[in-house]
Amino acid sequence: MKHSLVWFTNNIRVKDNTVLHNACEEAGKIIAVYCFDPSHFEQTEYGFKKTGVFRTRFLMESIKDLSENLKTLNIPLFIYSGKPEENIPRLCKRYTITDIYVQKEWTRDEVSVQNKVADALEGKCYLHQVFDQFLFHPDAIPYESFKEIPEVFTTFRKQCEKHASIHKPVSVPKSQPISNWENTNTNLPSIDELGLKNIETDSRTAFPFSGGETAAWQRVQDYFWESRHLSKYKHTRNGLIGKDYSSKLSAWLANGNISARSVYHEVKKYEAEIEKNQDTYWLVFELIWRDYFKYVSLKHGAKLFKIGGILDKTYSWKRDEETISNWIEGNTKYDFVNANMKELAATGFMSNRGRQNVASYFAKEMQQDWRVGASYFESLLIDYDVHSNWGNWMYNAGVGNDPRDRKFNIESQSNRYDPDNKYTRLWLKNT
Ligand SMILES: Cc1cc2nc3c(=O)[nH]c(=O)nc-3n(C[C@H](O)[C@H](O)[C@H](O)COP(=O)(O)OP(=O)(O)OC[C@H]3O[C@@H](n4cnc5c(N)ncnc54)[C@H](O)[C@@H]3O)c2cc1C
């Protein structure tokens, strides 16, 4: 009889989860595991903790919710604070696991961990890996190989919209027969145990939400169906204050608390039942950006993290400590940049408009090594996603996929998007 292990990484959900679905379809008895990998909490070469407290808290909430949801399916979730390559083989031995199911990854660190686990298993278990983080599945896109992914987003979007279909979500697995697994009790580590200091999120936050699949679907319910904010998304998405100017789905998407496919099909349902307009389409348009950066990273691999980016461009980048700390602390000559940086430090969130401006200021105006900025974002952002973060930073630094290589005029951006200084006052008063 098969004994299977579902290894959760950043696909922390039970709905529309192909990895879990396949395991339940194919396997006899199932357990699940999540590892808080110490390498995710180390300091990076740029001097910041890879995962800061806001993202960690969101992740912990996500795992707690997953554990409860899996319980209803009679699947125990083992939670470890430790290396996957040590804990998973031990678990496999204890429960005579034959098959492991995990989401397929391609970025260096993730691949390295999966390889280490495979090595430690010494061929004793079969590792099933599937891509499950896309809107357009790699099998559905109109390209023979990732090398053909266009360098310009609009080309990619138009070709995919024309030729690629979006898979229907897979069903939630049925409850498994009760198995008398022994010693299934494990606990979430505390923030302290992960080497972080807990800090309260500032009450002015635009992201007053919790992690987890339940909260993700609650947000869809509120943003789509109850308030119908989706009907005006394109008109409000450049806002700066409050929870409703944009969907705020990014953190749940980054942790895989909800799939991009599920969001897409929910938009389609909304369009059929309530209203279809440019705004409802635009949320899908943005989800295609999210996919695009994943494909850019599949195509270009480690170039995503190189100073010359995917264009191999040589600029005279600097690393001036004072400039970097002034940027981080919100102490630059622009109030608009400062307000955004203070919001990020106090909440782990910043609007898309803010992110573009502070990144452009850092990389284009101050010519600082853009990877330092990207690494600071990685540490702070509650919705950090390796492809979206490094891809957007490359784009804004002029070493990525921006065909126009724009530099933001911060003054005019601030006049346009914060004409009454409401946003800058919100974050610069009392701070
Ligand atoms: C320098 C920089 C760094 C960024 N880092 C990240 C990151 O680490 N993680 C992340 O999810 N997004 C990142 N973004 C993209 C974008 O800012 C956020 O996705 C968005 O602000 C999240 O808020 P929302 O969910 O309300 O977005 P909405 O406006 O409601 O958009 C809906 C969804 O579309 C996707 N999306 C929207 N804009 C983009 C974009 N430019 N690139 C990729 N996907 C997009 C997100 O999944 C988002 O949740 C970054 C942008 C910049 C300029």
Side-chain angles (χ1 to χ4, degrees):
M1 187 192 200
K2 261 186 167 183
H3 281 185
S4 295
L5 174 70
V6 181
W7 173 12
F8 283 91
T9 52
N10 57 0
N11 56 341
I12 309 172
R13 64 176 181 276
V14 301
K15 284 188 187 157
D16 190 31
N17 184 329
T18 316
V19 175
L20 176 67
H21 175 86
N22 290 353
C24 292
E25 289 280 297
E26 293 163 15
K29 286 172 82 178
I30 302 182
I31 59 173
V33 66
Y34 183 85
C35 297
F36 286 84
D37 187 336
S39 69
H40 293 179
F41 300 91
E42 280 166 4
Q43 195 149 305
T44 66
E45 60 190 291
Y46 302 103
F48 310 110
K49 280 246 181 206
K50 199 167 160 62
T51 313
V53 68
F54 298 116
R55 188 146 60 89
T56 303
R57 206 154 52 207
F58 192 91
L59 174 61
M60 289 169 67
E61 290 159 356
S62 302
I63 294 301
K64 187 164 180 285
D65 189 58
L66 175 71
S67 174
E68 282 156 18
N69 292 336
L70 285 173
K71 217 177 267 170
T72 66
L73 302 178
N74 294 327
I75 301 175
L77 177 69
F78 291 81
I79 304 166
Y80 295 113
S81 173
K83 292 181 182 167
E85 61 269 29
E86 287 170 8
N87 286 288
I88 291 179
R90 203 179 303 137
L91 200 58
C92 288
K93 195 166 171 213
R94 175 143 56 106
Y95 294 103
T96 53
I97 296 297
T98 54
D99 294 73
I100 299 180
Y101 293 79
V102 66
Q103 181 169 276
K104 191 173 166 80
E105 299 291 345
W106 60 91
T107 29
R108 186 197 56 201
D109 294 352
E110 285 70 18
V111 170
S112 152
V113 171
Q114 294 196 350
N115 288 343
K116 281 188 207 158
V117 171
D119 289 348
L121 289 167
E122 297 171 329
K124 289 185 191 116
C125 293
Y126 190 81
L127 206 57
H128 304 256
Q129 294 172 301
V130 285
F131 285 126
D132 203 24
Q133 51 279 76
F134 295 91
L135 182 64
F136 296 112
H137 192 276
D139 292 344
I141 55 171
Y143 311 105
E144 292 286 314
S145 95
F146 297 132
K147 293 279 160 256
E148 290 173 23
I149 301 292
E151 298 300 357
V152 176
F153 168 70
T154 309
T155 316
F156 170 83
R157 175 180 60 78
K158 287 188 174 159
Q159 290 173 342
C160 287
E161 284 178 336
K162 194 158 177 208
H163 301 292
S165 61
I166 294 166
H167 297 334
K168 285 251 169 336
V170 295
S171 57
V172 179
K174 288 199 210 80
S175 279
Q176 299 298 299
I178 295 180
S179 302
N180 296 322
W181 300 106
E182 281 172 12
N183 304 325
T184 56
N185 274 345
T186 51
N187 292 316
L188 271 176
S190 66
I191 294 269
D192 289 356
E193 281 162 353
L194 294 170
L196 295 158
K197 227 173 90 209
N198 211 352
I199 50 166
E200 287 297 312
T201 302
D202 192 292
S203 60
R204 292 167 287 184
T205 185
F207 193 89
F209 307 108
S210 310
E213 181 166 18
T214 309
W217 282 95
Q218 184 58 50
R219 176 61 181 166
V220 169
Q221 181 64 23
D222 290 347
Y223 189 78
F224 285 37
W225 303 100
E226 273 159 37
S227 65
R228 301 192 180 173
H229 285 304
L230 178 59
S231 285
K232 46 184 171 48
Y233 167 70
K234 186 165 184 251
H235 291 87
T236 59
R237 60 179 282 277
N238 279 309
L240 302 164
I241 300 176
K243 65 182 173 48
D244 290 328
Y245 61 80
S246 62
S247 77
K248 305 295 186 305
L249 287 172
S250 53
W252 291 295
L253 283 162
N255 281 273
N257 293 162
I258 192 166
S259 71
R261 285 181 303 258
S262 290
V263 177
Y264 169 83
H265 286 291
E266 204 68 12
V267 172
K268 291 288 127 187
K269 193 164 162 229
Y270 184 93
E271 289 179 337
E273 293 177 21
I274 309 286
E275 181 177 23
K276 178 178 173 158
N277 60 19
Q278 260 219 334
D279 300 76
T280 57
Y281 164 70
W282 215 261
L283 193 76
V284 176
F285 177 99
E286 295 299 339
L287 288 176
I288 302 176
W289 263 114
R290 175 180 176 276
D291 251 30
Y292 182 59
F293 284 121
K294 295 197 182 305
Y295 283 111
V296 167
S297 126
L298 262 167
K299 176 175 181 178
H300 292 286
K303 280 192 174 176
L304 212 65
F305 310 103
K306 296 264 174 347
I307 196 156
I310 61 168
L311 302 179
D312 291 320
K313 276 219 172 176
T314 324
Y315 292 113
S316 52
W317 297 106
K318 304 171 196 145
R319 277 203 206 178
D320 177 61
E321 264 179 43
E322 200 183 337
T323 308
I324 294 170
S325 52
N326 282 342
W327 178 72
I328 288 175
E329 284 157 22
N331 193 19
T332 73
K333 67 176 179 180
Y334 297 114
D335 280 353
F336 193 57
V337 170
N338 299 341
N340 274 289
M341 294 307 290
K342 287 198 188 280
E343 179 186 7
L344 178 63
T347 69
F349 193 82
M350 188 194 291
S351 67
N352 185 54
R353 185 54 45 190
R355 294 181 204 199
Q356 289 175 313
N357 274 277
V358 303
S360 180
Y361 167 79
F362 188 80
K364 289 262 171 76
E365 191 156 331
M366 302 311 285
Q367 296 165 1
Q368 298 301 306
D369 181 343
W370 63 274
R371 298 169 306 168
V372 176
S375 174
Y376 180 65
F377 267 38
E378 172 169 357
S379 184
L380 267 284
L381 277 181
I382 212 163
D383 63 12
Y384 170 73
D385 168 278
V386 56
H387 320 287
S388 290
N389 188 58
W390 291 81
N392 270 293
W393 266 95
M394 276 197 312
Y395 187 99
N396 279 278
V399 296
N401 307 78
D402 184 2
R404 290 177 284 173
D405 193 12
R406 281 161 290 184
K407 176 176 163 194
F408 281 71
N409 178 326
I410 313 280
E411 283 302 348
S412 76
Q413 286 275 311
S414 150
N415 292 338
R416 182 161 169 203
Y417 294 103
D418 189 26
D420 308 325
N421 298 326
K422 239 172 120 180
Y423 175 74
T424 41
R425 265 190 278 118
L426 178 69
W427 285 102
L428 297 184
K429 70 171 186 210
N430 308 326
T431 51

